[in-house]
Amino acid sequence: MIRWVLLTLIILSSQLAFSQKEIVIENPNQALSIGNNIEILEDKKGMYSLYDVLKRPDVDARFIKSLQASPNFGITKSVIWSRFTLVNKSGQRLYLEIGEPVLDSISIYRVDHGTITHKRLGVYQHKSKRDIQTNLYLVDLELNSDQKCTYYIRIQNNLPLLFPLRVAPLKIFFEDNHPKDLMQGIYLGIMLVMAIFNFFIFWTVRSKEYLYYVMYVLAFAGFFSFNKGIAHEYLWPNAIWFNHFTSVFISAAIGFGLLFAESFLDANKYLPASYKTVRILLSAITFFLVANWLGAGAMSTQILHSIAFLAVMYILFLAIYIWIQGSQAALFFLVAWAVMLVSALIFILQLSNVLQSDNFTRNALQVGSALEVVLLSFALAYRINYYRLEKEKYQAEVIQQLRENEQIRSRIARDLHDDIGSTLSSIGILSQVVEYQIDKNPLSVKELVQRINESSQKVQRSLSDIVWTTRQTSNSFGEVLVKMKEFAAEVFEPKNINYYFQTENLPEIQLSANKQYNLYLIFKEAINNIVKYADATEVNIEISFENSELRLFVKDNGVGFDENLIKAGNGLGNMRKRAESLGGSITILSRVGKGSFIELKVQIKQS
């Protein structure tokens, strides 16, 4: 009691010394921003009391006129005092709005002719202590028409410290803030709808990027619910202790944003080092979040904001890099994240007091996050469609492979019956003839045994070809090329036929197993015909590729033939049928005594 009496005497004596331009409120239909008209004192050590502010001339002299419409001190450990004198000429009772819902401690002192009244507000005070229970601080100034009074406000905050101040009758604030409440409802509605919708998608496809996206959206919704005072008013009005841990929202938004970007962009595929980088950033976020909870205060908050900025920039770099590598999904992500980056940059610069705090800078991140969430939903929809097309493509490839496998099985069965079966039958017949002739005509038996040997070698080669076909899993033309060279060497060298096999500068060519087999059989038929009928001493083989066309050219210097006379023999008909199945064309030319050549052309893909 004695202390307040002394304080009252000090006030009476100090009012003569304190001289400040009075703020006159005349218009009852408009809220007046008074940030530029107040005086500010920064108490860096937080040591001044109201007694010091009113009594000590050295403290009084440290008050300076505010230069900001919305005073903003960024992240600071200082206690900020402000003072102003109001003159009410509006004809109505006036209220003060402190337009920043997230302030740890607010003390408002009303000094009127020796009488001091004190109101305490902040996120750690129950909302029932407020004059008007809204998300913002609306304080009854107890200033009726034609009254004048001086006010002192002491503010302290662990988060960025800014406090827009407006004065008006109560009716004006409700009318002015009602559209803002609608916009907050729309924002939270968008975020919740996006989260619920994508959670159902996650539940269906069980792809982790959808879960990361849902958590990312909910974290942003939680952050802005707290930042705009909605959560404190509606979600946990009685759990004031939880306000100490609300930094988890922005930390979760950063963390799940990193995980979502990593998963959505397939970062480990394009940039394996990204896995380690993301984990380092996540560890740093967790460390400084815990440090903040343990009381590290403004320093940990400032570092956390810096990490958030680094994370946003890293995700931007990742999206650009992966887009350059050819990912179309990264382009959708990049557009969305660019919007987020610009809004986050504006918001962080405003929190750091680099940009002036106003409606635009304070709400930039909220608008940007809503646009980003919508754009990312389009990106996820594109990804679903991309997966669907990839699945359909894979299914078509499987069906095509099954058809080719069926064709291979049918061909093997046909070859076993027609080629190997008939050859084995001839071996059996020749073996019987040998049995009958072995005692009667030994010379003819020798010839028969030679024929049996040749037939058995033919069967062996045919079986080898079939086994090679069934084991063929690669579409690379290089493997069939090796098989062709082996066959040429196996057939020509025992016959002392000189051959030249040219395959210079061939690119990587993709050819299905079925087409490889048909190409190989055409080549094999051409070589066998040369060995059996051409009586050649030299053979030129060329394989080339130009303008998406594969060309096989086989020429010999043998006796040649008249195609009109033997067109039904020598497998020429089979060669033409196989060329048709390849989708190519074959040319067979020969003149008696002038040798012959075969040219096959096939349009194929180059990898």
Side-chain angles (χ1 to χ4, degrees), residues 461 464-466 468 478-488 490 520 523:
R461 283 194 293 267
S464 176
D465 293 341
I466 290 172
W468 172 74
E479 296 192 15
V480 72
L481 189 59
V482 172
K483 185 75 173 172
M484 292 165 73
K485 289 181 178 180
E486 289 177 351
F487 179 74
E490 182 182 336
Y520 174 69
F523 173 79

Side-chain angles (χ1 to χ4, degrees), residues 500-513:
Y500 306 93
F501 207 124
Q502 300 180 33
T503 58
E504 295 181 359
N505 300 323
L506 275 180
E508 184 66 28
I509 299 170
Q510 297 296 314
L511 206 61
S512 68

Side-chain angles (χ1 to χ4, degrees), residues 340-540:
M340 176 64 180
L341 174 63
V342 172
S343 62
L345 183 60
I346 294 172
F347 184 74
I348 292 172
L349 291 177
Q350 176 259 159
L351 290 180
S352 303
N353 204 18
V354 176
L355 291 179
Q356 182 176 338
S357 177
D358 53 30
N359 284 331
F360 172 72
T361 57
R362 283 198 301 272
N363 295 303
L365 183 58
Q366 192 170 16
V367 175
S369 64
L371 288 174
E372 184 213 22
V373 162
V374 173
L375 290 172
L376 286 178
S377 291
F378 286 122
L380 287 168
Y382 168 83
R383 192 174 178 86
I384 291 176
N385 187 57
Y386 174 78
Y387 282 152
R388 180 182 62 81
L389 293 175
E390 285 293 306
K391 185 178 180 181
E392 291 176 356
K393 181 181 177 181
Y394 173 74
Q395 290 174 341
E397 289 175 352
V398 170
I399 292 171
Q400 180 62 27
Q401 188 62 49
L402 290 173
R403 288 174 179 170
E404 290 186 0
N405 290 343
E406 182 62 30
Q407 291 174 359
I408 291 172
R409 283 194 292 269
S410 299
R411 189 197 66 235
I412 291 173
R414 184 176 65 251
D415 291 346
L416 287 172
H417 179 270
D418 297 343
D419 189 9
I420 298 177
S422 62
T423 305
L424 288 174
S425 296
S426 67
I427 289 174
I429 294 171
L430 290 172
S431 299
Q432 291 178 1
V433 173
V434 168
E435 185 180 354
Y436 290 126
Q437 295 289 334
I438 193 168
D439 294 327
K440 299 179 181 180
N441 191 351
L443 292 177
S444 64
V445 168
K446 183 178 180 180
E447 182 182 349
L448 290 172
V449 170
Q450 185 178 358
R451 290 173 61 186
I452 290 173
N453 181 51
E454 290 176 353
S455 297
S456 64
Q457 289 180 4
K458 179 181 178 183
V459 170
Q460 185 180 1
R461 283 194 293 267
S462 297
L463 286 173
S464 176
D465 293 341
I466 290 172
V467 170
W468 172 74
T469 304
T470 56
R471 290 180 177 177
Q472 183 72 351
T473 57
S474 171
N475 288 340
S476 174
F477 180 69
E479 296 192 15
V480 72
L481 189 59
V482 172
K483 185 75 173 172
M484 292 165 73
K485 289 181 178 180
E486 289 177 351
F487 179 74
E490 182 182 336
V491 174
F492 286 141
E493 290 177 4
K495 300 291 184 178
N496 294 320
I497 298 174
N498 295 322
Y499 69 98
Y500 306 93
F501 207 124
Q502 300 180 33
T503 58
E504 295 181 359
N505 300 323
L506 275 180
E508 184 66 28
I509 299 170
Q510 297 296 314
L511 206 61
S512 68
N514 191 46
K515 288 186 176 182
Q516 287 186 40
Y517 186 72
N518 281 320
L519 177 65
Y520 174 69
L521 288 185
I522 291 174
F523 173 79
K524 183 179 176 181
E525 189 70 43
I527 299 304
N528 279 332
N529 283 343
I530 291 172
V531 173
K532 288 182 181 180
Y533 309 114
D535 195 23
T537 59
E538 286 190 3
V539 178
N540 287 316

Side-chain angles (χ1 to χ4, degrees), residues 142-210:
E142 301 175 10
L143 189 65
N144 294 318
S145 183
D146 295 324
Q147 282 187 319
K148 179 174 75 170
C149 197
T150 300
Y151 299 88
Y152 288 81
I153 303 178
R154 181 187 186 274
I155 300 178
Q156 190 172 15
N157 200 27
N158 189 44
L159 295 173
L161 198 162
L162 60 155
F163 51 99
L165 300 176
R166 296 196 302 167
V167 177
L170 185 61
K171 171 178 175 290
I172 300 303
F173 287 123
F174 278 106
E175 291 176 350
D176 190 38
N177 290 333
H178 184 62
K180 297 178 184 177
D181 294 336
L182 175 63
M183 296 306 296
Q184 295 301 323
I186 292 174
Y187 173 80
L188 291 176
I190 290 173
M191 303 299 272
L192 291 176
V193 166
M194 291 299 175
I196 293 171
F197 174 73
N198 283 279
F199 178 77
F200 281 117
I201 295 178
F202 162 74
W203 195 259
T204 303
V205 302
R206 298 301 174 96
S207 185
K208 59 184 179 181
E209 62 258 32
Y210 289 93

